[in-house]
Structures are given as structure tokens and as C-alpha cells.
Amino acid sequence: MAAEAPPPSTEKAQLPTPEEFTEVQESAEFGELRRSYRSFAFPLTIGFIVWYLLYVLLSNYAGGFMGAKVVGNINVAFVFGVLQFVSTFLIAWWYSKHAAAKLDPKAEAIKTRMEGGA
């Protein structure tokens, strides 16, 4: 048996004015949200780009190193390639945890205030 959803609200939401958007954008609360995001996302982005470029450069210019056998037919290049995928998923998971803990509550508070709920 499917659960019935409540009917959609017929109440029209009050849209914020451009002045209200500007006020919120200049607020300390929004500045803190932006700092929280940037202090997490920018270093990880730079780190991942460096890690990726290192992999590409080693693949192009350090064939002997990348071709070194680790176990059986598995070489360093294969291990680094797999680690690229692993690091991508770990960064996505870490960002998701960070956003849920630190960004989403701040953003939700700002959104609620902008929509007139606070």
C-alpha cells in the first residue's frame, strides 16, 4: 500500500526582494558560510589537481618507475590509476559529510530567514 502524500500547498511563497538578497549576501552569516565552503573545497580541489597531474606526468615521463611491478602483473601505474578513483570517491564522501555537518545547517537557516520563516 502506497503512502499518500499531503496535497501541495496553495499558499504562495513571498519572494525576497533584490535588496534583501544583497543584505543577506553582505551579512556575516553568509560570509561565514562562504568561508566554510571555500576553506574546504579549494584546498581539496588544488590537492586533487596536483595529484592527478602528478599521475599524468609520471605516466608520460617516468615509464620505468610506473612500469615497476608491485605484485604479479600489477605495476605502479595500475595502483596509482586505481588510487585516482579511490581518492575521487573519498573526496566526494568527505565533502558530503562536511556539507551535511557544517554547510547545510547554515544554508538552511539563511534560506528559512529569506523565505520569511524566521
Side-chain angles (χ1 to χ4, degrees):
M1 174 180 239
E4 291 188 31
S9 174
T10 57
E11 187 179 308
K12 296 283 185 186
Q14 178 70 26
L15 294 177
T17 65
E19 293 80 20
E20 290 172 322
F21 276 111
T22 302
E23 181 183 320
V24 168
Q25 185 179 9
E26 294 170 352
S27 72
E29 186 181 20
F30 188 78
E32 177 57 34
L33 174 62
R34 192 171 41 226
R35 270 189 299 283
S36 243
Y37 169 75
R38 288 179 178 172
S39 68
F40 186 88
F42 286 179
L44 275 178
T45 300
I46 291 167
F48 184 79
I49 289 170
V50 167
W51 159 232
Y52 176 75
L53 290 176
L54 176 69
Y55 173 66
V56 170
L57 290 172
L58 286 173
S59 294
N60 284 322
Y61 300 111
F65 171 70
M66 295 296 271
K69 302 280 186 195
V70 176
V71 176
N73 287 331
I74 297 175
N75 60 16
V76 173
F78 181 77
V79 172
F80 279 16
V82 169
L83 287 176
Q84 286 288 317
F85 286 100
V86 170
S87 63
T88 300
F89 287 107
L90 284 175
I91 289 170
W93 171 79
W94 192 15
Y95 176 77
S96 174
K97 301 274 289 174
H98 172 76
K102 300 203 174 162
L103 302 178
D104 292 349
K106 292 176 187 176
E108 189 61 37
I110 292 170
K111 177 183 171 215
T112 301
R113 192 174 75 243
M114 289 288 292
E115 292 176 345

